[in-house]
Amino acid sequence: MQPIAQKEEGLVSYKHEAAPTPHDDHGGDHHHHHAPHHGFFRTYVWSHDHKMIGMQYLFASLLFMAVSGALAMGVRWQLAFPGHPVPVIGHLLPASIANPDGSIAPGGYNALVTMHATIMIFLAIMPILIGVFGNFLIPLKIGAPDMAFPFFNALSFWLFFVSGIIMLASFFVPGGAAAGGWTSYAPLSTTAIYQGSAEAGHTYAQGQSMWALGIFINGLASIAGAANYITTIINMRCPGMTMFRLPLTVWALFITSFLLLLAVPVLSAAGAMLWFDLNAGTHFFSGDNVTGGQPLLWQHLFWFFGHPEVYIMILPAMGLVSEILPVFARKPIFGYRAMVYAIAAIGVLGFIVWGHHMFVSGMNLVLSATFSLSTMVIAVPSAIKTFNWMGTIWKGSIHFTTAMLFCLAFVILFVIGGFSGIFMAATPIDLFIHHTYHIVAHIHYVLFGGSLFAILGSIYFYFPKMFGRMMSERLGKWHFWLTFIFFNLTFFPMHNLGLAGMMRRIADPTQYEHLRNLQPLQVFVSLSAFGLGASFFLFWWNFFYSLFRGPKAPHNPWRANTLEWTLPSPITLHGNFEQTPVVYHGPYEYSVPGLSQDWLPQNMPLRDMPKNAGVAIDVD
Amino acid sequence: MISPRFSRRVLPLLVAALTLLLGQNHCFAETRTTNLWWAPDAVTVGGHKVDHLLTFVFNLTGITFIIVAAVYAWFIVKYRYRPGVRAVYSHGNDKLEAIWTCIPAVVFIGLAAYSNHLWKELRSAAPADAIPIDIVAHQFGWFIRNPGLDGKLGAFDQKLLSTENTFGIFDGDPDGAGKDDYSSSDLIIPVGRPVNVILRSQDVIHSFYIPEFRMYQDAVPGRKIDWVWFTADRTGSFQLACSQLCGSGHYNMKAAVKVVTQEEYDKIVKEKSKEALLDNLKKQSAQQQHDDSAPAAASQPVAQR
């Protein structure tokens, strides 16, 4: 099988490359084309260039992801070996997390679980999908010189980064990090005395307050970014780039931005109210029947955000996958318009399903029925997209690069995650599996098997364009297979654990009669999780080594059609395009009959492309 | 997906052997050695209905998944790159789009209708002869109050919940139903009789979760949730777990649930009611004497900032 990417040395010349820019002899050096007055600070710290901001988001998010992954390892250790000291680092853990002997304390376990989810969601998955790929790709794919509001864009990144520092710092305040779950249900989260603490005699809620503050600031970054993206996409498309010639990544990010704009302010408000309940004597969410608060109000506000949030995390991933599958199947995306309508449908429907998190919360039972219906209906556009992805590879010519492997896996893992969601959408079944590990399995199949696999594939795919070098395909394939295998070994058995009645967020399953016999399965899951964590080191090694020592990348190693691949690798020009490109067709014109090559860049008119004489020429 | 039928035979024996070797077995509640890859056997009437739906959804999603995955795998293998073979230039097929929009829509909406029908049944009002049991969750356990021989619980008021008055009982209970109510740390119910649990919470959101009963409900402070009812259809020992994160003691918040025969239940009720009545009389006369000598001190309300 000939890979589409180059062999590790040298460039391949194409017969009819897209219009080369005069700067294609620059390698991975970032410094060359910055205007002379931009020093280190303006280039790397406070850059207004969307490409640099995208990379800032990337490095920061990968760091936060590493931290959150480590927290997850702590969670799995405690579940498999409750009460056993954490090896090597047990004694170094703060008192809010671990006992003096290095084993994880119950309150500390709750903090690990809370912060693992919070950091993964707000500081890793969202920033990579939206901050990295949104920032880096949107102007390039629409032929724009930068975002509509570059200053605002820089501000977004630093707000995000500050929110991350606050979240990490919360581990080190008295009482430790927030420990009420990433969902922070009131009144546990709003009342210090209920939170208890490992430090006897004191109750602190500083960690929870910092959580609320971090969420609020993170929300500001999201809202600013969303406004930027919508404005850019509507106003700054190059000539010929009509809405229905937009790459699906851009469509997905466009609709995601509307979700962000409408949902995040609700979370910010709820977070502010939570902060006030903790620190200013308000009673928005109290349940004491005296002061007039309502615990369920928190849940409605949180989940009104929380449900669109999960679509915020999956739609860009779907867009990225929809971009990569056609490239490596050498075929147009199947059903472009249906895909766009499905994204829009998911976005709209996503706002009317939040009650499915609250079926058994004490909410009115009739509401449960209506939310159950809307939840079942939202499965339909996801099904449409899945069939379209399958249609894309049908009768294609599939090249199994690392990026393609991750995207192929995305489809089937997302299907598993979606199907496990059907169980919960049926309210009587939710009566039984609510707040069990069945939910945890579902979450991880859609967020890890879904979003994170799409992220990893996209990093392998866009790395050449960002950094001017290729990542190692060999290491990449090892990384993929190990991740895929360990991921399934870790999370599939959680469906069974959930059905067996294992509740979420319990620091010691051996306390329960109905779970004690399942401990061997817990150990198996944890060992698989450790394997999964270890396989990430392959990725980080590949990523950082390739940054400095990877083979130089050509303009268009993947022979893709979208506009960013007409530019050099890496793109060093502020303003991206020497001349504003003109677009003649959609982005998925692969294997057009009659052409001598199997791809057709968006900025090349069909009439200018060399035709073949009726013989199918092998493009490899 | 792993078929539950296969896994019922081989794996549980292995796991059971491992467990007996590695773990201790208390016979506090039933320990499971069969069916370990699936849910524990349901022991309530409603639970069996939930299981029907569960099995239906499992089969539906399982079969669909196998078909989808098989087709997908076949495409991946069959349409891999081969030199000289070009991909087909196709932008899609509107007819197919219509088909694979309508069929899933019909299936999912049908499933929603079926589920909602069962939900309505499970959450209908408890029958009039259901035994009411008052459960007040707190960090980190449940206060359980059982009706005495009269089968009625004494009236309570949410606003009266306090550390001393854990059930918020009226001081002067007008119809006297509460005089023979007795509290317990275990939930003891008779087999074959509907039981209506009234859920409340003193501090944060807890929940009432018994896996074998297929029953879950959050207990929300400030609210009284009275639509949880079930009928156990066999005797046994089970475990009540809190399944809503409620603080650092959440991992250990559990209580015993015992389903006993009607005779045993009657015996327990008779005994405990008598004790409760006597206790009440003693308290009343003690209170009388106390009132005569000094005014009563107010007790602390529970959710105090």
Side-chain angles (χ1 to χ4, degrees):
Chain A
M1 249 188 285
Q2 279 282 66
I4 222 176
Q6 298 5 287
K7 300 179 190 44
E8 309 250 296
E9 61 283 342
L11 303 171
V12 159
S13 64
Y14 305 103
K15 274 195 191 155
H16 301 282
E17 207 171 37
T21 69
H23 306 285
D24 51 344
D25 45 80
H26 291 133
D29 190 340
H30 290 261
H31 294 281
H32 260 260
H33 271 276
H34 295 141
H37 63 273
H38 279 165
F40 180 88
F41 183 79
R42 269 299 253 118
T43 308
Y44 292 108
V45 179
W46 185 254
S47 170
H48 289 183
D49 186 319
H50 72 99
K51 303 184 290 294
M52 182 55 69
I53 294 173
M55 288 187 243
Q56 286 175 315
Y57 267 107
L58 182 60
F59 289 106
S61 305
L62 285 177
L63 175 69
F64 290 129
M65 190 189 293
V67 171
S68 181
L71 297 177
M73 297 296 113
V75 169
R76 283 314 319 177
W77 174 266
Q78 170 66 11
L79 284 174
F81 310 112
H84 284 76
V86 178
V88 181
I89 56 161
H91 296 277
L92 302 170
L93 298 172
S96 59
I97 301 279
N99 295 317
D101 68 350
S103 65
I104 295 174
Y109 176 86
N110 294 343
L112 286 179
V113 157
T114 303
M115 296 311 285
H116 163 70
T118 304
I119 294 175
M120 266 305 179
I121 291 170
F122 294 100
L123 303 178
I125 302 283
M126 274 173 83
I128 296 186
L129 284 173
I130 299 160
V132 177
F133 294 114
N135 264 311
F136 192 81
L137 296 175
I138 290 176
L140 294 174
K141 285 187 188 268
I142 66 175
D146 205 310
M147 286 286 183
F149 306 119
F151 177 90
F152 213 29
N153 207 8
L155 189 62
S156 276
F157 170 74
W158 284 106
L159 284 172
F160 148 74
F161 192 75
V162 165
S163 77
I165 299 297
I166 293 175
M167 288 294 189
L168 291 184
S170 70
F171 279 103
F172 302 104
V173 299
W182 85 281
T183 48
S184 283
Y185 277 12
L188 176 64
S189 59
T190 57
T191 318
I193 55 170
Y194 296 147
Q195 289 180 26
S197 156
E199 291 155 73
H202 292 97
T203 54
Y204 298 103
Q206 281 161 309
Q208 188 71 61
S209 289
M210 288 173 79
W211 183 92
L213 182 63
I215 291 286
F216 189 88
I217 295 176
N218 190 284
L220 293 175
S222 296
I223 296 168
N228 220 342
Y229 294 179
I230 293 174
T231 313
T232 306
I233 293 170
I234 291 181
N235 284 315
M236 294 174 68
R237 286 166 286 132
C238 65
M241 181 63 82
T242 61
M243 289 301 282
F244 280 99
R245 284 180 182 167
L246 283 175
L248 284 171
T249 308
V250 180
W251 263 114
L253 285 160
F254 182 59
I255 290 176
T256 302
S257 299
F258 283 103
L259 267 67
L260 280 166
L261 217 49
L262 293 172
V264 174
V266 177
L267 176 70
S268 302
M273 289 156 82
L274 194 159
W275 193 92
F276 284 129
D277 265 16
L278 274 173
N279 297 294
T282 55
H283 295 277
F284 291 112
F285 307 121
S286 70
D288 59 8
N289 247 337
V290 171
T291 46
Q294 280 289 342
L296 282 185
L297 177 62
W298 166 266
Q299 290 185 42
H300 279 293
L301 289 174
F302 182 84
W303 287 118
F304 184 83
F305 153 79
H307 200 83
E309 163 67 6
V310 312
Y311 292 113
I312 287 166
M313 290 193 283
I314 198 65
L315 287 179
M318 291 174 159
L320 288 166
V321 167
S322 303
E323 204 63 51
I324 295 175
L325 284 178
V327 175
F328 294 115
R330 310 312 286 167
K331 243 190 104 211
I333 191 81
F334 196 92
Y336 174 87
R337 280 193 183 235
M339 291 296 249
V340 173
Y341 296 141
I343 295 175
I346 293 174
V348 169
L349 286 170
F351 275 99
I352 57 169
V353 296
W354 84 89
H356 70 226
H357 301 272
M358 296 173 62
F359 283 149
V360 286
S361 63
M363 174 177 78
N364 185 315
L365 300 176
V366 173
L367 276 181
S368 300
T370 48
F371 281 118
S372 174
L373 178 64
S374 52
T375 304
M376 289 286 187
V377 170
I378 204 172
V380 177
S382 300
I384 294 172
K385 293 186 80 67
T386 305
F387 292 130
N388 277 304
W389 288 317
M390 290 172 66
T392 304
I393 62 169
W394 165 75
K395 293 212 171 153
S397 173
I398 306 172
H399 297 257
F400 294 101
T401 56
T402 306
M404 185 58 160
L405 288 170
F406 274 106
C407 293
L408 288 172
F410 167 94
V411 175
I412 202 66
L413 294 176
F414 178 72
V415 167
I416 297 178
F419 277 160
S420 65
I422 300 291
F423 285 76
M424 288 122 54
T427 37
I429 301 181
D430 191 58
L431 254 189
F432 169 49
I433 56 176
H434 179 76
H435 219 251
T436 62
Y437 264 67
H438 200 278
I439 316 287
V440 178
H442 166 71
I443 292 171
H444 287 89
Y445 264 89
V446 287
L447 281 180
F448 192 141
S451 304
L452 192 54
F453 268 58
I455 285 172
L456 291 171
S458 302
I459 291 179
Y460 282 96
F461 187 71
Y462 290 108
F463 190 93
K465 191 52 61 186
M466 287 183 178
F467 302 110
R469 292 179 185 266
M470 306 295 288
M471 287 178 78
S472 158
E473 276 292 305
R474 209 172 134 264
L475 270 180
K477 293 200 166 97
W478 270 97
H479 171 224
F480 168 75
W481 284 109
L482 285 174
T483 303
F484 184 74
I485 290 169
F486 280 125
F487 167 79
N488 282 297
L489 290 180
T490 305
F491 293 105
F492 199 86
M494 290 189 185
H495 291 107
N496 304 84
L497 284 170
L499 284 176
M502 178 174 175
M503 304 81 73
R504 290 174 75 172
R505 301 164 173 169
I506 48 171
D508 186 354
T510 60
Q511 295 293 321
Y512 296 90
E513 294 301 323
H514 65 283
L515 298 179
R516 208 167 286 152
N517 281 358
L518 295 167
Q519 200 57 21
L521 188 56
Q522 296 283 5
V523 173
F524 176 79
V525 167
S526 287
L527 293 177
S528 306
F530 298 148
L532 185 60
S535 61
F536 260 89
F537 286 104
L538 267 181
F539 171 73
W540 280 312
W541 172 258
N542 195 355
F543 184 87
F544 286 103
Y545 184 84
S546 304
L547 268 181
F548 300 104
R549 294 284 175 84
K552 295 264 169 76
H555 274 60
N556 198 348
W558 316 120
R559 269 170 279 156
N561 287 340
T562 41
L563 292 174
E564 71 273 20
W565 301 104
T566 64
L567 298 174
S569 304
I571 310 162
T572 51
L573 186 65
H574 283 313
N576 303 331
F577 302 91
E578 294 273 318
Q579 280 176 302
T580 307
V582 178
V583 160
Y584 297 94
H585 35 253
Y588 301 114
E589 299 304 299
Y590 294 100
S591 298
V592 179
L595 292 186
S596 63
Q597 65 182 49
D598 67 350
W599 52 297
L600 178 57
Q602 278 193 284
N603 64 343
M604 295 286 281
L606 183 58
R607 61 173 184 274
D608 289 354
M609 297 298 290
K611 313 291 186 288
N612 67 24
V615 177
I617 293 176
D618 184 275
V619 291
D620 278 296
Chain B
M1 289 208 163
I2 297 167
S3 144
R5 248 168 259 116
F6 164 75
S7 305
R8 275 183 203 137
R9 287 187 210 118
V10 178
L11 287 153
L13 288 171
L14 187 61
V15 177
L18 271 171
T19 313
L20 287 169
L21 284 171
L22 301 173
Q24 298 169 293
N25 273 339
H26 309 285
C27 283
F28 178 76
E30 298 176 357
T31 48
R32 297 175 55 214
T33 49
T34 55
N35 238 9
L36 283 172
W37 288 82
W38 194 245
D41 286 334
V43 302
T44 56
V45 173
H48 295 304
K49 295 181 187 157
V50 170
D51 279 359
H52 280 312
L53 181 60
L54 179 65
T55 311
F56 176 75
V57 173
F58 177 81
N59 289 330
L60 178 68
T61 52
I63 292 169
T64 312
F65 176 76
I66 288 171
I67 296 174
V68 166
V71 171
Y72 192 59
W74 178 50
F75 282 0
I76 288 175
V77 171
K78 179 163 185 206
Y79 299 114
R80 67 194 182 282
Y81 163 75
R82 275 149 304 161
V85 179
R86 252 204 189 191
V88 157
Y89 179 73
S90 163
H91 273 284
N93 181 323
D94 284 346
K95 194 160 149 220
L96 270 178
E97 300 285 352
I99 293 174
W100 64 48
T101 303
C102 291
I103 295 183
V106 165
V107 170
F108 288 135
I109 292 175
L111 188 56
Y114 175 16
S115 309
N116 281 335
H117 176 74
L118 179 56
W119 175 253
K120 214 165 135 193
E121 212 181 294
L122 293 171
R123 295 305 219 192
S124 56
D129 63 336
I131 303 169
I133 300 188
D134 186 16
I135 301 188
V136 177
H138 66 102
Q139 285 181 324
F140 296 99
W142 296 267
F143 297 126
I144 301 176
R145 183 165 65 115
N146 306 273
L149 277 167
D150 63 355
K152 290 211 206 87
L153 283 172
F156 58 81
D157 185 341
Q158 288 284 78
K159 293 199 172 67
L160 295 176
L161 273 180
S162 74
T163 44
E164 268 121 49
N165 191 352
T166 51
F167 296 102
I169 302 172
F170 282 15
D171 265 343
D173 185 356
D175 63 2
K179 288 222 171 60
D180 60 350
D181 294 347
Y182 60 97
S183 31
S184 60
S185 54
D186 300 344
L187 181 63
I188 302 177
I189 59 176
V191 66
R193 294 264 312 274
V195 173
N196 177 212
V197 168
I198 301 168
L199 281 172
R200 301 184 281 148
S201 170
Q202 268 196 351
D203 37 40
V204 297
I205 300 179
H206 296 275
S207 77
F208 176 88
Y209 178 55
I210 307 174
E212 293 90 342
F213 283 32
R214 303 290 190 267
M215 180 51 63
Y216 179 110
Q217 177 59 51
D218 276 350
V220 182
R223 297 179 60 133
K224 175 188 79 158
I225 291 169
D226 56 10
W227 55 70
V228 176
W229 70 276
F230 43 79
T231 308
D233 65 5
R234 72 167 177 88
T235 56
S237 296
F238 309 101
Q239 200 162 37
L240 168 64
C242 175
S243 184
Q244 187 66 255
L245 182 60
C246 57
S248 52
H250 170 67
Y251 77 104
N252 203 9
M253 184 166 159
K254 55 191 195 229
V257 176
K258 296 199 186 83
V259 181
V260 298
T261 58
Q262 187 63 54
E263 298 80 49
E264 270 178 73
Y265 181 71
D266 289 336
K267 211 170 95 188
I268 295 171
V269 170
K270 210 159 145 196
E271 201 183 300
K272 297 278 180 170
S273 292
K274 221 158 81 177
E275 278 174 31
L277 269 170
L278 282 171
D279 267 342
N280 255 314
L281 283 168
K282 277 195 207 136
K283 261 196 229 140
Q284 264 185 347
S285 60
Q287 191 64 35
Q288 208 65 7
Q289 288 179 339
H290 192 255
D291 281 345
D292 291 340
S293 40
S299 57
Q300 293 295 333
V302 171
Q304 177 165 263
R305 298 287 314 279

